[in-house]
Amino acid sequence: TVFGTHAQDMVNILKKQSLEAKPYNIQTLFYCYTFDCINMIAFNREVDSLRGIERDVAFQAAFDAVQSELLSRFLTPWWKLNKLLGTSSSERNIAANLQTVDSYISEVLTHYHDPQGNLKDTTGQTMMDIYLEHTHSTDRKRTRNMILNLIVAGRDTTGSALTSCLEYLCDHPEWQDRLVEEAKTVFNGNTQEALTFDDIEGKSPVAEAVFLEAIRLNPPVAVNERYCVAPTTLPSGCTVPAGVYVPWVPLATCRMEEYWGPDADTFNPSRWLDGKAKDYDDFMYPTFNAGPRLCLGKNMAILEGKIALLTIFAHFRFTKKEGFKPSRLNTITWKNDMLLVHVHPL
């Protein structure tokens, strides 16, 4: 019920926004939704960024700023010297925002480690509990890094996915109509209900098709890479020596006409309906990675996305601000500067 409860929180916010004539940046709403959800699921931590709690909002702003600045290091081979000397504005910004990030993460850490680094008893119910029970890690730095990984995986990727969904849906209102009809069926008149897995299982093919198609075109992690620890040969026959980074680009693979046909660059959720989804394997559709490294949170992300879409489309339709064109941000995951929409009650 975590996803359903926070999705209803989004509805309450959107009801207020629907009374305003000015456009609304719905991307921020989605990132707050996913942030609140992952904190509860991963750490059993009640946060309320959807209602604008300063601590939670400040962390997200600092977190985004650090990610953006970190990417500049790939283009600056001497960044370590800049960090040491404090001579670049980028490194100074990273240091300043990391204070906010570390302050927040330290609060989370106190649930798992005492000041000496010893593990506390855990409930075994959250992602972090399960991780620590299997690793028995007393390394606070390692635990800190895992907390950050879970936040990126749980907040940024699904927040990006939902933003892409709304952007494409604004361009293709016929799919909004189909989502509205599916939401009516799922809620069956009780639109105040917090949806659960059982409520939508097998009953939400349109919401799933929209979600999968949006992140086919805009994979939240559009570019990735792997480090070769030992000499190997790829299926193509290409040999890769140890010590080499091998980049791979889901954004390109997911738009290849060889796999997706002549409309590969077109938003077409129908390609996922009527049993057609079985035609696409994970290596054609590496949005969630593939093989042994398939994303552990794949099914959770799809569930979270479907519940969010069905809940808001049980109440609203959306139009993009006239003439608005988003700009890509320099972040680890696919993210625009904003998505300005008008909210229309049903």
Side-chain angles (χ1 to χ4, degrees), residues 296-318:
L296 295 176
K298 175 181 177 180
N299 292 332
M300 185 183 81
I302 294 173
L303 174 65
E304 183 177 11
K306 291 195 297 183
I307 286 177
L309 290 173
L310 289 167
T311 301
I312 63 176
F313 279 98
H315 297 267
F316 311 100
R317 284 187 175 88
F318 303 86

Side-chain angles (χ1 to χ4, degrees), residues 15 42 84 122 140 221 251 266 290 303 333:
K15 284 180 178 178
L84 178 65
T122 59
R140 285 176 63 88
V221 182
L251 178 62
T266 302
L303 174 65
T333 53

Side-chain angles (χ1 to χ4, degrees), residues 7 10 21 126 198 248 261 269 301 303 316 332:
M10 286 199 294
T126 69
D198 290 336
W248 54 289
L303 174 65
F316 311 100
I332 294 172

Side-chain angles (χ1 to χ4, degrees), residues 78 209 229:
W78 51 88
V229 297

Side-chain angles (χ1 to χ4, degrees), residues 165 179 182 204-212 305-307 309-310:
C165 285
L179 272 174
E182 186 166 273
S204 52
V206 174
E208 183 163 333
V210 166
F211 188 81
L212 293 176
K306 291 195 297 183
I307 286 177
L309 290 173
L310 289 167

Side-chain angles (χ1 to χ4, degrees), residues 22-65:
K22 62 184 180 181
Y24 174 61
N25 180 15
I26 200 167
Q27 175 175 266
T28 299
L29 182 74
F30 288 145
Y31 274 72
C32 288
Y33 164 70
T34 55
F35 181 70
D36 291 358
C37 288
I38 193 59
N39 269 272
M40 175 54 68
I41 292 170
F43 318 122
N44 195 29
R45 180 177 171 84
E46 285 276 5
V47 300
D48 210 348
S49 65
L50 278 168
R51 290 189 174 87
I53 300 302
E54 183 177 354
R55 175 202 62 183
D56 305 327
V57 173
F59 168 81
Q60 292 189 73
F63 193 53
D64 289 340

